[in-house]
Amino acid sequence: MLKSMTGFGRCEQSDGQRKITVEIKAVNHRYLDAAVKMPKKLNFFEAGIRTCLKNFVQRGKVDIFISYEDLSEHTVSLKYNQELAKEYMHYFNKMAEQFGIENDVKVTALAGCPEVLVMEEQSMDEKSVWNLLKQTVEGALERLVESRILEGENLKADLCGKLDGMLLHVDYIEERFPSLIKEYRERLEEKVKELLDGTQIEDGRIAAEVTIYADKICVDEELVRLKSHIVNVKTALLEGDGVGRKLDFLAQEMNREANTILSKSNDLDITNHAIELKTEIEKIREQIQNIE
């Protein structure tokens, strides 16, 4: 299945005690480049998240956004530091004795001393949190892949249409080539007759000149290779998964053959068709950049 590198996926899940939302967006990139943004308390799970990502995505610039909400009623608890309170009272009594004053410290005053009473966040059940987080991440990744496949199928249809159009240009150049040789021979014979004022010239000399010309403008090898590349691109598109790099290489090879055909051409019609070939190849190269 052909996949685009552009896509978006979102998933939200809750187990009653916590709610996790994951949003993932991806664009094209030569390699897999992932950035994960999430609350600090979930940083411990980043390696697992990246492992999940690699099971779904091969290439692309991927941004993962994770939000976490604790729905339980007892997320924090009040802790009493008895030893610290005892130490405070020891020094309060010592101060009263030293200065001969009454120790009037009451419970409320003692409780207000730093670190005697503290709010402490309850420890997180890592296993249950990871199970929920993994399910949510995988759900978002599944939706991301679905959107990439949808766009990939659209790309495939468009690319196949462009490749079929390129084959028409190649066929025209193939059909036009024999006519070029014939036209050149006719022009050469007319020019010779004009220059020699009716004097005959050996057919062998004419044939030799025509052969040299034909060899100079011959693009048979380039056309055969170009056709082969076009067929290989269509085959790769139908094969689908993970063919982006291969398609990029084939596009470069098609462009090289089209350049050679254009450089050898001295016929206006063939030149125009070679230019159309290069234009279509450039369009294909741009779209291939977005295939995984």
Side-chain angles (χ1 to χ4, degrees):
M1 192 79 64
L2 193 72
K3 298 175 188 172
S4 165
M5 281 192 281
T6 302
F8 177 80
R10 185 180 188 277
C11 184
E12 181 178 290
Q13 294 199 38
S14 172
D15 62 1
Q17 292 187 332
R18 54 190 69 85
K19 182 173 73 173
I20 296 177
T21 303
V22 177
E23 292 185 350
I24 304 175
K25 66 176 184 178
V27 294
N28 61 315
H29 195 273
R30 290 186 65 188
Y31 309 104
L32 177 58
D33 180 17
V36 184
K37 297 181 180 179
M38 58 185 173
K40 288 184 178 180
K41 65 172 65 179
L42 300 181
N43 283 347
F44 178 77
F45 304 114
E46 182 170 347
I49 293 169
R50 291 183 180 273
T51 300
C52 288
L53 175 64
K54 291 177 182 178
N55 293 331
F56 289 84
V57 178
Q58 296 181 30
R59 285 206 303 162
K61 176 72 172 66
V62 183
D63 290 308
I64 303 176
F65 303 93
I66 301 174
S67 64
Y68 176 87
E69 184 179 352
D70 199 321
L71 304 176
S72 61
E73 295 181 359
H74 306 291
T75 58
V76 293
S77 59
L78 188 63
K79 296 295 181 180
Y80 166 46
N81 192 333
Q82 182 176 341
E83 293 302 318
L84 184 59
K86 185 185 294 185
E87 192 169 352
Y88 272 120
M89 286 303 301
H90 168 73
Y91 283 105
F92 289 151
N93 290 329
K94 191 172 181 179
M95 291 167 62
E97 182 180 344
Q98 180 180 358
F99 296 106
I101 57 177
E102 181 184 358
N103 183 358
D104 60 351
V105 176
K106 296 184 178 179
V107 173
T108 52
L110 181 61
C113 292
E115 305 298 326
V116 173
L117 294 177
V118 293
M119 300 294 289
E120 187 176 90
E121 188 171 357
Q122 290 184 340
S123 60
M124 183 171 57
D125 183 353
E126 292 182 357
K127 184 176 181 179
S128 60
V129 171
W130 169 241
N131 288 336
L132 180 63
L133 178 59
K134 183 180 179 183
Q135 291 174 14
T136 312
V137 169
E138 289 180 345
L141 285 168
E142 288 171 358
R143 288 164 178 77
L144 172 71
V145 170
E146 289 172 2
S147 68
R148 291 177 124 200
I149 290 174
L150 179 61
E151 185 170 340
E153 291 301 304
N154 293 333
L155 278 173
K156 179 168 69 175
D158 185 65
L159 288 170
C160 286
K162 285 182 169 58
L163 292 168
D164 291 337
M166 287 175 59
L167 285 174
L168 294 177
H169 292 299
V170 172
D171 290 341
Y172 177 86
I173 295 173
E174 280 185 324
E175 294 173 4
R176 174 68 178 149
F177 185 73
S179 301
L180 289 179
I181 307 302
K182 181 179 179 182
E183 291 171 6
Y184 178 74
R185 183 183 183 101
E186 292 173 352
R187 290 197 306 270
L188 183 61
E189 289 176 344
E190 290 177 3
K191 193 69 174 177
V192 167
K193 288 178 182 178
E194 180 183 336
L195 293 173
L196 299 180
D197 194 21
T199 304
Q200 294 294 323
I201 188 172
E202 294 180 7
D203 285 342
R205 294 287 301 275
I206 295 289
E209 289 295 328
V210 171
T211 301
I212 293 172
Y213 173 77
D215 186 62
K216 181 180 178 181
I217 68 168
C218 181
V219 290
D220 287 349
E221 292 183 9
E222 288 80 4
L223 292 173
V224 169
R225 286 194 293 266
L226 184 53
K227 268 189 172 181
S228 175
H229 294 328
I230 292 172
V231 171
N232 286 337
V233 170
K234 291 190 74 172
T235 302
L237 287 171
L238 295 175
E239 287 176 356
D241 204 22
V243 296
R245 290 190 179 92
K246 179 179 179 180
L247 292 175
D248 188 46
F249 171 76
L250 288 171
Q252 293 179 40
E253 293 300 306
M254 289 194 297
N255 190 57
R256 183 178 291 110
E257 303 302 339
N259 280 333
T260 305
I261 293 170
L262 187 59
S263 67
K264 288 186 176 183
S265 172
N266 62 355
D267 177 74
L268 182 60
D269 286 341
I270 289 182
T271 297
N272 288 336
H273 282 272
I275 290 173
E276 288 297 322
L277 276 172
K278 282 183 59 63
T279 302
E280 290 302 304
I281 291 170
E282 189 58 34
K283 292 178 182 177
I284 288 172
R285 287 182 69 181
E286 289 178 1
Q287 289 182 311
I288 283 174
Q289 299 303 313
N290 200 35
I291 293 176
E292 185 179 51

